[in-house]
Amino acid sequence: MKILLNQMTVFRKGTTQKLSVLVEDGRIVSLSPQVPQMADALVIELKNGTLFPGFVDVHVHLREPGFSRKETIATGTRAAAHGGFTAVCPMPNLKPVPDSLEHLQPQLDLIQRDGVVHVYPYGAITVGEQGKDLADLEGLAPYVVAFSDDGRGVQNSERMRQAMRRAKALGKLIVAHCEDESLVGGGYIHDGAYARAHGHRGNPSASEWKQVERDLALVEETGCAYHVCHVSTKESVELIRQAKAKGLDVTCETTPHYLVFNDTMLQEDGRFKMNPPIRSEADRQALLAGIQDGTVDMVATDHAPHTAEEKAGGLEKSLNGIVGLETAFPVLYTQLVRPGILTLAQLVDLMHTNPAKRFGLGGGLEVGAPADLTVFDLDACYTIRPEDFLSQGKSSPFTGQTVYGKCLLTLSGGTIAWQAKGGDQG
Ligand code: DOR
């Protein structure tokens, strides 16, 4: 199938150009200021649209196999396309946990059958994510993007050391959910002003950064390539800054919710509950400073859908996790780019260039590259409403916010994965 995106505003190399983009057999075959003569192509014109390389989210939960009441590969990848993502990496807290090729296979089959964007699954670090025996890293390596026990930190240092040695030998990243369970103290929101004022049990920042500190020492010892998940604390940012200055092969991600909320903005609602928790304003500022100096490499959503019942228990009793695929770009564009805190080029680096490079996923907007791209109307203004989400998960702290940036079209491998009804109207 041929698709001609006619006379588009294309955001490329930090600037916009008017170009026509011709897609054929899944690849970009021409990018040119002229309109190619193409009788047999589907012509799409989006006059209010700005075309970007498809976003890459290295941290999502698609919940299948095992938890299809929360999300499926079909609904999760449609939500991804609706948010402008063309590549997502689902975490292994599934049933079965992908700790061997046999246990990964059901997920690979569902991805093949139901995925509408590229899906690159993780393999687990330990059997059943139980932190005891190492998973079959060698058997999994050809089929997984990296190794993670996301949802839980690997508590045993010796186990993590062994995992790093084996991942290094396999040329794979270790992607760590850093959480020292002995320091959580039953806390479920940040151990700060809001928790104290409202009688909640606080989860201290040390539960994250102490394990980041431990792992960075192991990275120095083993030489493993290492990536820290969902960084939320200022101390973690500083530790990662120092590790990078030493030349360690370390990267990290943060999420939209840690970049736009602090704990004084919490509400007594499960929509504000996730792990790690939303922390203080000083932490939020440190994450922004980390973006500015290159310590924080990328944004991931940690899209973590649950059922309405599972999120109905307020801050204390709801399960951890919020959805994020369909709000990440509009929220960050509205709250960070429009006020001039970040440039649009920085946001594209955080959501495409840096994750694609670190995880080896996908090309950019170049002739010959896979046609993984998305088009947003940056002037379209609307209110975030969960009923508009394609995700089965509806719990979002961004509900009710007015944002700019509506996704008009997403092509994944040259196939339309999302197209708004009514053309430019979205
Ligand atoms: O909030 C979270 N939700 N944090 C995690 O680490 C796991 C995730 C989930 O799977 O729901």
Side-chain angles (χ1 to χ4, degrees):
M1 178 175 188
K2 290 180 195 164
I3 299 178
L4 176 63
L5 300 165
N6 205 14
Q7 289 297 290
M8 296 291 311
T9 301
V10 177
F11 190 84
R12 216 167 146 234
K13 299 177 184 154
T15 179
T16 54
Q17 289 165 278
K18 267 277 182 251
L19 297 171
S20 290
V21 183
L22 182 64
V23 171
E24 194 173 342
D25 295 330
R27 292 193 175 266
I28 298 172
V29 294
S30 110
L31 261 173
S32 137
Q34 276 82 46
V35 181
Q37 290 312 305
M38 216 16 92
D40 53 346
L42 169 68
V43 180
I44 299 180
E45 309 225 5
L46 295 168
K47 292 201 170 46
N48 297 335
T50 302
L51 189 147
F52 297 96
F55 304 139
V56 175
D57 191 346
V58 301
H59 191 142
V60 301
H61 298 268
L62 299 183
R63 305 301 195 202
E64 246 191 338
F67 303 95
S68 53
R69 64 178 190 279
K70 300 175 194 266
E71 190 79 291
T72 63
I73 302 285
T75 57
T77 57
R78 279 169 179 77
H82 187 207
F85 293 92
T86 54
V88 292
C89 303
M91 285 297 177
N93 50 349
L94 300 167
K95 213 153 97 190
V97 170
D99 50 18
S100 64
L101 181 54
E102 187 193 343
H103 286 166
L104 175 68
Q105 195 61 51
Q107 193 189 160
L108 294 178
D109 293 343
L110 288 163
I111 291 167
Q112 173 81 16
R113 195 186 75 184
D114 294 339
V116 301
V117 299
H118 305 291
V119 182
Y120 303 100
Y122 283 92
I125 296 174
T126 65
V127 173
E129 289 200 330
Q130 293 300 306
K132 295 199 177 75
D133 300 318
L134 287 189
D136 179 8
L137 307 190
E138 288 73 16
L140 287 164
Y143 306 95
V144 296
V145 64
F147 296 110
S148 181
D149 264 5
D150 184 65
R152 297 192 67 181
V154 176
Q155 302 303 303
N156 182 298
S157 307
E158 183 50 30
R159 201 68 67 253
M160 192 53 138
R161 179 181 285 111
Q162 291 163 354
M164 285 189 183
R165 287 207 175 112
R166 278 169 59 185
K168 179 175 165 60
L170 292 164
K172 288 277 177 189
L173 275 171
I174 289 281
V175 175
H177 169 119
C178 287
E179 181 175 14
D180 182 330
E181 291 168 8
S182 71
L183 300 176
V184 174
Y188 47 85
I189 61 169
H190 177 56
D191 188 19
Y194 187 92
R196 281 191 287 281
H198 296 84
H200 288 295
R201 280 194 303 285
N203 170 344
S205 297
S207 69
E208 175 182 288
W209 68 258
K210 284 276 189 193
Q211 200 161 88
V212 173
E213 187 177 46
R214 178 202 73 178
D215 279 1
L216 292 173
L218 293 174
V219 170
E220 193 162 11
E221 182 188 321
T222 62
C224 174
Y226 176 77
H227 176 84
V228 190
C229 291
H230 45 50
V231 171
S232 70
T233 70
K234 58 184 187 309
E235 293 87 353
S236 301
V237 174
E238 185 50 33
L239 286 163
I240 294 162
R241 181 177 286 122
Q242 288 168 14
K244 286 187 172 193
K246 277 192 205 165
L248 302 189
D249 190 359
V250 172
T251 52
C252 72
E253 72 199 28
T254 192
T255 70
H257 38 285
Y258 306 132
L259 290 172
V260 306
F261 292 116
N262 64 47
D263 69 333
T264 69
M265 300 169 176
L266 290 177
Q267 296 178 27
E268 293 295 320
D269 190 318
R271 293 188 294 118
F272 288 83
K273 177 150 179 205
M274 75 296 291
N275 186 28
I278 290 167
R279 300 203 184 266
S280 71
E281 181 60 15
D283 294 297
R284 188 180 86 88
Q285 290 300 334
L287 291 167
L288 287 169
I291 288 175
Q292 296 297 3
D293 74 3
T295 303
V296 175
D297 302 271
M298 62 193 80
V299 165
T301 65
D302 197 2
H303 177 84
H306 294 291
T307 65
E309 300 72 51
E310 289 165 336
K311 293 301 291 180
L315 287 175
E316 184 178 358
K317 299 226 157 59
S318 295
L319 294 188
N320 278 312
I322 56 163
V323 293
L325 282 167
E326 292 165 270
T327 51
F329 180 81
V331 163
L332 295 177
Y333 178 68
T334 304
Q335 297 210 36
L336 298 182
V337 175
R338 282 178 59 103
I341 297 166
L342 295 182
T343 64
L344 186 54
Q346 281 178 302
L347 184 56
V348 173
D349 284 348
L350 291 167
M351 294 185 65
H352 166 78
T353 319
N354 298 347
K357 189 163 171 228
R358 177 59 161 168
F359 285 73
L361 307 175
L365 296 177
E366 303 295 338
V367 170
D372 295 332
L373 49 92
T374 187
V375 180
F376 275 75
D377 180 346
L378 296 176
D379 296 320
C381 182
Y382 61 99
T383 300
I384 292 176
R385 302 185 322 162
E387 50 273 38
D388 297 332
F389 295 163
L390 301 182
S391 171
Q392 280 173 220
K394 305 294 178 194
S395 188
S396 163
F398 304 111
T399 294
Q401 286 193 4
T402 300
V403 289
Y404 289 85
K406 190 161 223 172
C407 187
L408 302 178
L409 178 75
T410 300
L411 295 190
S412 178
T415 300
I416 297 174
W418 162 255
Q419 187 167 24
K421 290 195 188 74
D424 277 18
Q425 303 316 309

